[in-house]
Amino acid sequence: MTNVGTIEALGSLGSNYAVVLDSGGSVDNKAATGIINGYEAGVVVKGAARGVTNAGTIGASGTQGVGIYLGSGGHVTNTGANATIVVTMPASSCAALRER
C-alpha cells in the first residue's frame, strides 16, 4: 500500500485502524507530508513478517494507541529528516512500535 496524502481512522465511524494488512504486505508512506493516523493504530500488519517504510508521519491518538503494530515481525524504515512515528496519548500501554 502506498500513501502520498492522508489516511485517517479516528474511531468514531467504526474503524480504529488507519491501515490493516491481514495477510501481510507492505506499507510505504512515501511523501514527507504523508500522514497515516488511526485511533488504536496507524498501521497494523498481520499474517507474515513485512515492512513499513515511512517518510512522513504514522501515528495513533487513542489511550492505548500503537503507531505501528507488526503482528508477525518485520521491519520499519524511517526515511528523510521529517519521518516520525508518534502516539499522542500518554498512557503506559502506548507504543510507537509494537512487535508481537
Side-chain angles (χ1 to χ4, degrees), residues 8 12-13 15 20-21 31 47 52 56 62 66-68 73-74 80 82-83 88-89 97 99:
E8 288 188 305
S12 62
L13 299 175
S15 178
V20 178
L21 301 176
V52 175
V66 175
I68 299 172
N82 296 324
T88 58
M89 294 296 291
L97 172 64
E99 200 173 9

Side-chain angles (χ1 to χ4, degrees), residues 7-94:
I7 300 172
E8 288 188 305
L10 303 177
S12 62
L13 299 175
S15 178
N16 292 321
Y17 310 124
V19 175
V20 178
L21 301 176
D22 283 324
S23 299
S26 62
V27 175
D28 186 359
N29 193 25
K30 200 168 191 129
T33 57
I35 297 170
I36 300 175
N37 186 52
Y39 182 74
E40 286 186 35
V43 175
V44 175
V45 180
K46 302 177 184 176
R50 301 291 184 198
V52 175
T53 302
N54 177 42
T57 301
I58 298 175
S61 58
T63 56
Q64 296 183 14
V66 175
I68 299 172
Y69 176 76
L70 301 174
S72 297
H75 66 276
V76 175
T77 304
N78 271 343
T79 61
N82 296 324
T84 55
I85 301 170
V86 298
V87 177
T88 58
M89 294 296 291
S92 61
S93 58
C94 289

